Amino acid sequence: MASPLIKNLYTTTFSQASSHDGSLLAVGNNEGKIVMFDLTGVAANQESGIGERLKSPCRVINAHSDAVYAMVTTDAFCISGTTGLIAGRRWSEVRQPQSQAAWTISLECDQANFGTPEVNSLGYDGSRGLVYAACGDWRTHVYDLETGKRTQTLEGHDDYVHDVVASGDLVASAGEDGQVLVWDPRAGREPRHRLAPHTHTQLARPHLGRFVASLDLYNDWLVCGGGPRAGVFHLRSLALTTVLPPPKPAIHVTKFTRHAEGGDRGGIVVAGVTPNLYVCSMAGMVTAQLPSSSPSIYTVNVSEKPFTMMTYGGTSTKIDVCFNLNYRDHTVSLLEE
Amino acid sequence: MVRGDEEGETTTTTVREVKRRRKEGDVGKGEGEGTIKTTTITDTYQAALDHECWEAKSRTEEDDQELVSSTMANIRSLMTEILKLKQDRPNQWATEVEEKRVQVLMLMLSLRRLSRVQKVRVRDSREHTVESRQGVDGVTLQLQNLLYEVAHLKKEVRRCLDFQSADQEIDLVPVEQFYVEAPEDISRPTETVENLHEQRLARLQWELEQRRDQTQLFDKLTQEKESVAETINEQERKLASLAPRISAILEATRPLQEALDLPIDAKKEQQRIVQLLPSPLYTLWVQASAYGEAFDLNIKVDVVGDIDAAKKLIAKEEDPRTENLSESDNEQDQQEENLSRKKRNRKSQKPEVEDLDDGVKQMLGLHPLCVKITIGAKDGNSVVLSFFYMQTLRIVTVKCSIHLQEKTKPAFTDVISGETLLNCLFLDDDGQSSPNPANYFQLSRLQINLPDHLHITGRPYKWAQALAGLSFSSFKQPNITGDDTQETSRAGSPSTTAPPPGDSEVVVWQDSAEQMPTTILAVRRRLQARMALHAQLLNLETANSTSSIVIPPELLRQHFPGKICTELKCWRPVSWADYEAASSTQHLRDAHVVTPQHLLFSAILDRKHVRLEAMVAVSPDYPNVVPVVSLTLHWEGQHQATNNPQLRQMEREVNVHWDELVSCRSEKLHLLPLMLYRLAVCLDVFTEAYSAHADAGKPDSHFHKEKIFFRPARGPDRAFPFKYHPKLGVFSQR
């Protein structure tokens, strides 16, 4: 066996989720482990305005045999996705040492070509209780959390699906094939809009590929990035409105931050294969450039309630923590002491 | 009556005042009218006084009380009558009033006299009281004196009771025994049985007799003892004179032994030399030869060195002057020596540097004897370990040399030299610094940098200290049970002398015995590994293609696909400075995975115009510690693990998942070429998977897909399919 020292050098953090009450943060890595952080101390001190650092992990769960590629939070559950499996754990139970997954959903593997598909991203529609899983079999599967049954499958990508986001009535997915598809799941099987960022000359970066690794929805706005540069699209006109920095590296995270600094205007977080995280305005201006302890960032988690906190991690055993979107507050190790 | 009582006091006081005034008036009158008259008056006064005294005695107070009340009643009645007369005014009321007034006045006079009588009575009783009080005081004083006297006497009595007689201290034989043992003339049972005092005297007498006898006996025995000692001395002298004769006989037999090739004497000689070894080397010799005899005939143990010097050293140590040779004494000696040297040097005008060198020499001085252990391997190669003991620093050092059956071709990197063979035999044991914590101060005082001298003295590996039974506090954490065993071991083995107080090392032979098999196994394996590594390095230095990397064919078939496009172009050793200069190695250096102890190489792998530069760090403990690679890819710019996730996955595939390539120790010896081969395969996959994604803009940069994989990328990090499934012949993501 390789020494843990060397193994840790190649650890990658893929996903994060934080509970709605702001008391727990879950971080999933490539070894199938979910690292739990207790935020109650931070939350208590955040109200009094005294700076508090995250403590070392309160628990490390050996959740899956493969990488925890995706996580999403609901009111009661911390849902994690890995190769061929989606599992839900109750937030109220994850602290207990022997707690197991409350439920699991196995992905059907009907096409031998793909092997067992992986869950690359999870989206959650709270109003309907639906979970969207962006999968390696080129499709986005929709599951009803009440029954645990698959209710729908969104087919349209020509390669595996990187990311899926549900916002309001709309669902958007981004794929390795370079397409961004916007669906109205109630309306039918065909996507309502198709976007192809690599066809826009301002965004295209052929040497990096055409894949779209990340996207986010907010009202009429959609932000996405990957091989092409990150860009903001207006959904009604389907027009590219803003090109976002950074120009060089591949993008793995694009995210709207709704009630962050800057009031109603909101901001956009962009990160990728670069040791910096960029916070931009809707106009594409960089408002903050935060250093990262990971050379590449794969996951950014922003929670606004009960206090603003942003955590980001990637190709290292550390995550960085900010309590606003302007500077990095501190860095926490994901290793158990 | 009642009122009179209440007012009694006030009336007496007023009467006293009046009397005083009158007295003063009398005196004034007396002075004015003449002295003759006063004498008569005085006499009358005296008579009046005497009369009053008599009156006071003749009547009781109660009588007077009644008299007063009757007089008062008379006065009252007369006064009422006067008042009545004055109101009614009958005839001749004035004379009647006058008459009554005189009566009243007379009554007043008698009242006054009564008062005076009372005064006298009061004075008398006062005087009486004072007299009786004096009497009481006297009696009280007497009582106290008597009490004090009683207490004093009691104390004296107690003291007398507590008195200890001298004979009480003496232990006497019990009474029954006394009557049985003592002769009649002392015990005198007739007199003493009843009289306890006489009995005690008799017993004391008997005790005295007995003690006298015993003293005599003691003197006699002492004399006897002395005479016996004298005879013993004489016999010892005789024995001593025997020894030279016996050795002469032994000397005479030697030619015979040699002629018959009997090793008796050689063994004896060895035994004799062994006695001269310092205790750590002795422990080492005992353990190594015991292990060799018991388990392993390929281990030979010898003691070599200057025997005469060792003998002198022991003689010097036994000299009482320098017996307790402590650090400070040592230093003093050294300073004295330096001083004498200086005197001599003053003539020859030598600089002071010589003195310092001399101090360094003494500090790093080795014991003249060393233990040589020859460990033979199956293939005829052998490792010779020479263990030295540094007398001042009190540590054991090792020099190593290798004796090969066949001469090998030299490689650029010499991995089978005695200098480096034992480097990091165990974890973190580079033999660069002294394991004895006390040495730090000794060395820094003389400004000695130990690593500069190691090529002369040998290296103080920690395992060597353990083999010699030296344990230092920093090397092994002391615990309670460990201390206990150390105590018993020291008590049980007289050969390991207890160290002088103040020294930090303790000689423990159990440690040595436990360490011996593992150490010898480790040395054998190290030699085997280094021979394998040497062959691999020789091969790699001359290799100019991937196919020329020598790998056992069954491993090659088992782990890799048939066709490899990437070629190994170059393999060369690099220095630590070069390694440090490469930015791709930073994460490995930061994590202390690679240290300057490693053997460092650079490998260049090419596929067409794509060039992969791999920095390979081979641990001195290869293959127990697996080599690590760090990659730089030159293809449309420079890529490294930090800025290219796929290249990081490739590094991970090689550095972390090497355990899929080897299943046992013999296969692990081939790890380095296996890892390089895998690197070549990974570069094939990388180029093909990358080409599958990039838009086919430039035809020359495109690589045709030759490896079988279903998905060029998978997961959020777009992982490339580096993992090979030998049974299916396909590649997939991890």
Side-chain angles (χ1 to χ4, degrees):
Chain A
M1 284 297 290
S3 79
L5 198 62
I6 292 180
K7 227 175 182 177
N8 286 339
L9 280 179
Y10 298 101
T11 301
T12 307
T13 306
F14 280 119
S15 52
Q16 294 180 82
S18 57
S19 65
H20 278 161
D21 60 358
S23 65
L24 282 163
L25 174 70
V27 182
N29 72 8
N30 64 322
E31 286 169 16
K33 289 180 175 151
I34 296 178
V35 183
M36 286 289 172
F37 287 95
D38 193 335
L39 304 182
T40 43
V42 185
N45 279 325
Q46 203 62 30
E47 283 157 19
S48 61
I50 302 163
E52 168 78 11
R53 284 164 164 265
L54 255 65
K55 304 236 163 35
S56 52
C58 67
R59 194 187 159 204
V60 175
I61 306 170
N62 283 315
H64 298 292
S65 55
D66 201 9
V68 185
Y69 284 129
M71 292 179 90
V72 75
T73 183
T74 71
D75 286 334
F77 293 102
C78 164
I79 304 174
S80 55
T82 180
T83 301
L85 198 71
I86 300 170
R89 281 156 221 279
R90 281 183 205 284
W91 282 114
S92 52
E93 286 173 5
V94 290
R95 279 178 223 258
Q96 293 156 16
Q98 296 304 323
S99 68
Q100 299 287 319
W103 49 262
T104 55
I105 300 169
S106 291
L107 264 62
E108 288 155 40
C109 120
D110 48 0
Q111 287 185 18
N113 258 359
F114 297 108
T116 315
E118 78 281 5
V119 178
N120 287 313
S121 170
L122 288 165
Y124 177 62
D125 182 350
S127 56
R128 281 189 282 274
L130 298 177
V131 165
Y132 297 84
C135 292
D137 57 1
W138 301 14
R139 290 176 292 189
T140 300
H141 300 288
V142 189
Y143 295 93
D144 187 341
L145 272 193
E146 281 300 314
T147 61
K149 296 263 162 57
R150 187 166 70 186
T151 58
Q152 205 176 353
T153 298
L154 307 175
E155 291 180 69
H157 284 287
D158 298 326
D159 205 330
Y160 75 90
V161 190
H162 266 289
D163 198 4
V164 64
V165 169
S167 171
D169 292 336
L170 293 180
V171 174
S173 63
E176 180 75 10
D177 59 352
Q179 287 193 89
V180 174
L181 304 182
V182 183
W183 320 73
D184 187 345
R186 299 164 302 173
R189 300 171 63 86
E190 286 303 307
R192 183 185 272 189
H193 307 298
R194 283 177 187 270
L195 292 170
H198 65 278
T199 55
H200 294 264
T201 49
Q202 295 131 291
L203 299 180
R205 289 184 293 195
H207 62 283
L208 287 177
R210 58 173 66 168
F211 70 94
V212 181
S214 172
L215 87 169
D216 200 5
L217 277 176
Y218 178 52
N219 292 345
D220 286 338
W221 303 98
L222 181 146
V223 64
C224 64
R229 290 183 63 170
V232 181
F233 290 86
H234 189 239
L235 275 186
R236 288 182 198 277
S237 61
L238 295 183
L240 174 68
T241 58
T242 316
V243 180
L244 298 172
K248 286 262 159 62
I251 305 301
H252 282 284
V253 181
T254 52
K255 218 179 186 75
F256 286 112
T257 61
R258 268 120 210 178
H259 304 289
E261 300 285 317
D264 287 334
R265 285 178 298 151
I268 305 169
V269 175
V270 185
V273 187
T274 165
N276 287 303
L277 178 131
Y278 297 84
V279 184
C280 313
S281 65
M282 287 293 277
M285 301 295 292
V286 178
T287 56
Q289 183 176 338
L290 312 182
S292 161
S293 51
S294 313
S296 305
I297 300 170
Y298 285 116
T299 169
V300 176
N301 184 65
V302 184
S303 61
E304 277 113 15
K305 283 173 191 170
F307 54 93
T308 303
M309 184 172 88
M310 176 161 77
T311 46
Y312 50 99
T315 55
S316 77
T317 53
K318 292 169 184 165
I319 56 168
D320 302 291
V321 182
C322 322
F323 289 120
N324 59 36
L325 304 184
N326 289 333
Y327 63 89
R328 174 169 71 171
D329 197 85
H330 61 271
T331 301
V332 191
S333 171
L334 293 166
L335 303 175
E336 267 182 311
E337 275 174 0
Chain B
M1 284 291 286
V2 178
R3 204 179 52 186
D5 264 355
E6 281 174 349
E7 287 174 354
E9 257 184 284
T10 46
T11 45
T12 47
T13 48
T14 46
V15 166
R16 205 181 291 156
E17 274 169 21
V18 169
K19 199 168 69 185
R20 200 187 295 145
R21 250 177 259 143
R22 173 140 356 122
K23 222 186 242 171
E24 280 164 8
D26 285 352
V27 172
K29 233 189 261 174
E31 274 170 0
E33 285 171 18
T35 46
I36 305 154
K37 231 179 184 176
T38 47
T39 45
T40 52
I41 291 167
T42 313
D43 284 339
T44 350
Y45 190 62
Q46 191 63 44
L49 281 178
D50 289 346
H51 179 73
E52 275 168 6
C53 284
W54 177 81
E55 267 194 336
K57 276 168 199 163
S58 63
R59 286 200 308 265
T60 63
E61 283 168 53
E62 282 79 19
D63 297 343
D64 282 355
Q65 191 89 39
E66 273 169 35
L67 211 58
V68 169
S69 52
S70 64
T71 319
M72 289 298 283
N74 279 346
I75 292 172
R76 253 181 224 123
S77 62
L78 284 172
M79 289 304 262
T80 4
E81 280 168 26
I82 290 170
L83 184 66
K84 212 176 181 182
L85 285 172
K86 278 188 178 178
Q87 276 168 345
D88 300 343
R89 296 195 183 206
N91 287 343
Q92 291 169 349
W93 66 278
T95 48
E96 240 176 280
V97 164
E98 188 60 28
E99 212 173 290
K100 297 234 189 253
R101 194 181 59 102
V102 172
Q103 279 173 4
V104 168
L105 282 173
M106 290 313 287
L107 282 171
M108 292 293 272
L109 277 175
S110 70
L111 261 184
R112 206 183 139 208
R113 206 187 66 235
L114 279 174
S115 149
R116 286 184 62 82
V117 168
Q118 186 63 26
K119 283 268 164 260
V120 170
R121 217 177 259 146
V122 166
R123 196 194 63 208
D124 285 353
S125 66
R126 235 179 231 153
E127 277 166 6
H128 185 71
T129 312
V130 167
E131 259 167 43
S132 45
R133 185 174 176 174
Q134 270 172 352
V136 170
D137 280 353
V139 173
T140 313
L141 199 63
Q142 213 174 345
L143 176 69
Q144 271 172 351
N145 280 341
L146 287 171
L147 281 175
Y148 181 75
E149 213 167 319
V150 166
H152 179 71
L153 287 172
K154 270 185 186 165
K155 208 162 76 184
E156 289 297 314
V157 168
R158 206 179 303 129
R159 200 177 289 164
C160 289
L161 286 175
D162 288 347
F163 179 74
Q164 294 280 327
S165 167
D167 69 298
Q168 279 168 321
E169 304 272 313
I170 300 169
D171 282 335
L172 295 175
V173 290
V175 181
E176 297 80 26
Q177 201 186 344
F178 166 69
Y179 282 116
V180 172
E181 284 178 357
E184 286 279 316
D185 60 324
I186 291 172
S187 64
R188 289 169 294 156
T190 46
E191 293 166 40
T192 56
V193 171
E194 295 299 315
N195 188 340
L196 278 178
H197 183 67
E198 283 297 321
Q199 187 191 44
R200 185 152 189 93
L201 281 179
R203 284 170 72 190
L204 284 170
Q205 184 67 31
W206 173 235
E207 187 72 25
L208 181 66
E209 283 296 312
Q210 276 182 317
R211 289 193 182 194
R212 261 185 210 140
D213 289 352
Q214 279 169 354
T215 315
Q216 276 171 6
L217 185 68
F218 171 74
D219 289 345
K220 207 174 89 187
L221 287 175
T222 315
Q223 273 175 0
E224 265 174 42
K225 196 191 101 185
E226 272 165 10
S227 68
V228 168
E230 228 163 80
T231 29
I232 289 172
N233 276 341
E234 206 171 311
Q235 281 169 349
E236 266 181 351
R237 271 200 297 280
K238 277 184 194 166
L239 269 178
S241 67
L242 272 177
R245 272 189 259 170
I246 291 171
S247 61
I249 294 168
L250 276 177
E251 196 70 32
T253 62
R254 194 160 291 166
L256 188 67
Q257 278 185 19
E258 274 167 25
L260 298 174
D261 198 19
L262 285 171
I264 309 165
D265 218 41
K267 250 189 188 170
K268 215 169 265 172
E269 179 71 20
Q270 184 88 356
Q271 285 282 359
R272 211 160 50 75
I273 299 169
V274 163
Q275 298 302 322
L276 301 173
L277 285 172
S279 63
L281 289 186
Y282 182 80
T283 311
L284 179 70
W285 180 83
V286 168
Q287 294 302 328
S289 45
Y291 179 76
E293 275 171 34
F295 298 110
D296 203 333
L297 295 176
N298 283 327
I299 290 175
K300 290 193 186 69
V301 188
D302 294 305
V303 178
V304 291
D306 189 346
I307 297 161
D308 292 335
K311 275 181 185 163
K312 268 185 212 163
L313 204 69
I314 288 198
K316 198 176 155 196
E317 267 174 25
E318 278 171 1
D319 199 338
R321 256 192 318 120
T322 52
E323 195 166 29
N324 288 326
L325 198 77
S326 69
E327 296 297 323
S328 59
D329 283 348
N330 204 348
E331 194 190 42
Q332 231 169 20
D333 285 356
Q334 187 190 316
Q335 279 174 350
E336 277 167 20
E337 217 167 279
N338 284 351
L339 272 177
S340 62
R341 228 162 253 266
K342 251 183 210 169
K343 277 175 199 161
R344 266 182 280 143
N345 287 349
R346 211 167 281 159
K347 289 171 194 166
S348 53
Q349 295 285 323
K350 276 190 177 173
E352 232 181 2
V353 181
E354 289 285 313
D355 290 342
L356 194 68
D357 278 359
D358 210 52
V360 171
K361 251 180 220 165
Q362 179 153 357
M363 184 60 75
L364 301 173
L366 299 173
H367 192 273
L369 293 178
C370 78
V371 175
K372 200 175 239 179
I373 302 179
T374 309
I375 304 171
K378 279 175 205 151
D379 50 7
N381 301 328
S382 62
V383 180
V384 180
L385 305 175
S386 303
F387 293 85
F388 296 90
Y389 183 59
M390 298 182 87
Q391 288 170 297
T392 315
L393 298 181
R394 294 178 192 280
I395 49 176
V396 173
T397 62
V398 187
K399 277 184 194 172
C400 169
S401 59
I402 299 167
H403 298 275
L404 299 179
Q405 202 76 335
E406 299 164 12
K407 237 182 155 30
T408 52
K409 281 192 223 162
F412 286 131
T413 314
D414 192 2
V415 292
I416 45 175
S417 80
E419 281 283 299
T420 59
L421 182 78
L422 299 177
N423 198 0
C424 297
L425 191 63
F426 296 105
L427 198 65
D428 290 336
D429 193 359
D430 58 3
Q432 290 283 345
S433 56
S434 167
N436 185 347
N439 290 166
Y440 173 78
F441 303 102
Q442 291 169 304
L443 294 171
S444 59
R445 193 169 50 198
L446 282 174
Q447 296 177 328
I448 300 172
N449 186 18
L450 196 59
D452 296 345
H453 303 276
L454 291 178
H455 58 283
I456 302 168
T457 61
R459 289 170 184 270
Y461 296 110
K462 287 172 192 162
W463 55 264
Q465 320 304 319
L467 284 189
L470 294 171
S471 70
F472 299 103
S473 47
S474 65
F475 181 49
K476 200 174 180 184
Q477 288 295 321
N479 52 22
I480 297 158
T481 52
D483 283 345
D484 284 345
T485 57
Q486 283 172 10
E487 289 297 323
T488 52
S489 78
R490 245 186 291 156
S493 56
S495 64
T496 58
T497 52
D503 275 8
S504 55
E505 74 262 30
V506 180
V507 174
V508 195
W509 60 266
Q510 272 98 339
D511 271 7
S512 172
E514 280 166 21
Q515 281 290 315
M516 189 61 74
T518 51
T519 310
I520 285 176
L521 183 66
V523 172
R524 283 224 170 97
R525 287 201 161 166
R526 172 59 65 85
L527 182 65
Q528 190 193 10
R530 285 297 170 90
M531 295 301 287
L533 180 62
H534 181 75
Q536 289 157 11
L537 292 178
L538 270 180
N539 164 243
L540 289 172
E541 274 166 18
T542 51
N544 51 10
S545 66
T546 307
S547 55
S548 57
I549 298 175
V550 176
I551 293 174
E554 69 275 8
L555 283 178
L556 198 62
R557 269 199 308 277
Q558 194 181 335
H559 295 299
F560 300 110
K563 195 186 170 200
I564 302 287
C565 302
T566 301
E567 297 292 358
L568 175 69
K569 282 292 175 205
C570 174
W571 170 270
R572 59 184 176 87
V574 294
S575 67
W576 172 250
D578 291 340
Y579 192 83
E580 216 172 10
S583 58
S584 63
T585 64
Q586 194 184 349
H587 60 293
L588 296 176
R589 284 183 280 117
D590 286 350
H592 299 290
V593 170
V594 179
T595 63
Q597 295 291 333
H598 282 69
L599 306 165
L600 306 167
F601 303 93
S602 155
I604 308 270
L605 298 133
D606 280 356
R607 185 178 187 188
K608 288 185 186 165
H609 57 282
V610 179
R611 167 163 287 202
L612 181 71
E613 193 181 345
M615 289 295 209
V616 185
V618 181
S619 162
D621 202 13
Y622 170 85
N624 291 331
V625 177
V626 176
V628 284
V629 301
S630 55
L631 306 176
T632 307
L633 183 75
H634 301 274
W635 185 20
E636 295 170 0
Q638 187 175 315
H639 304 272
Q640 284 173 353
T642 47
N643 62 12
N644 189 320
Q646 283 78 20
L647 205 60
R648 183 170 180 262
Q649 289 152 18
M650 195 157 137
E651 252 186 52
R652 182 166 72 127
E653 183 72 23
V654 177
N655 285 343
V656 177
H657 298 290
W658 51 265
D659 52 336
E660 291 163 6
L661 296 175
V662 290
S663 53
C664 62
R665 199 187 125 70
S666 61
E667 285 180 15
K668 208 173 175 185
L669 289 172
H670 298 284
L671 197 57
L672 180 64
L674 283 169
M675 285 170 87
L676 278 173
Y677 205 90
R678 179 180 253 187
L679 204 55
V681 174
C682 284
L683 185 61
D684 276 8
V685 173
F686 185 93
T687 46
E688 287 167 26
Y690 189 85
S691 302
H693 276 285
D695 290 345
K698 303 170 207 157
D700 60 317
S701 72
H702 194 80
F703 287 93
H704 181 62
K705 184 179 162 189
E706 288 172 353
K707 305 281 176 288
I708 307 164
F709 50 83
F710 300 116
R711 295 177 57 185
R714 181 176 189 269
D717 57 344
R718 308 185 67 242
F720 285 173
F722 289 119
K723 185 180 179 179
Y724 182 63
H725 299 270
K727 281 177 190 158
L728 304 171
V730 298
F731 287 86
S732 81
Q733 280 83 356
R734 273 209 181 271

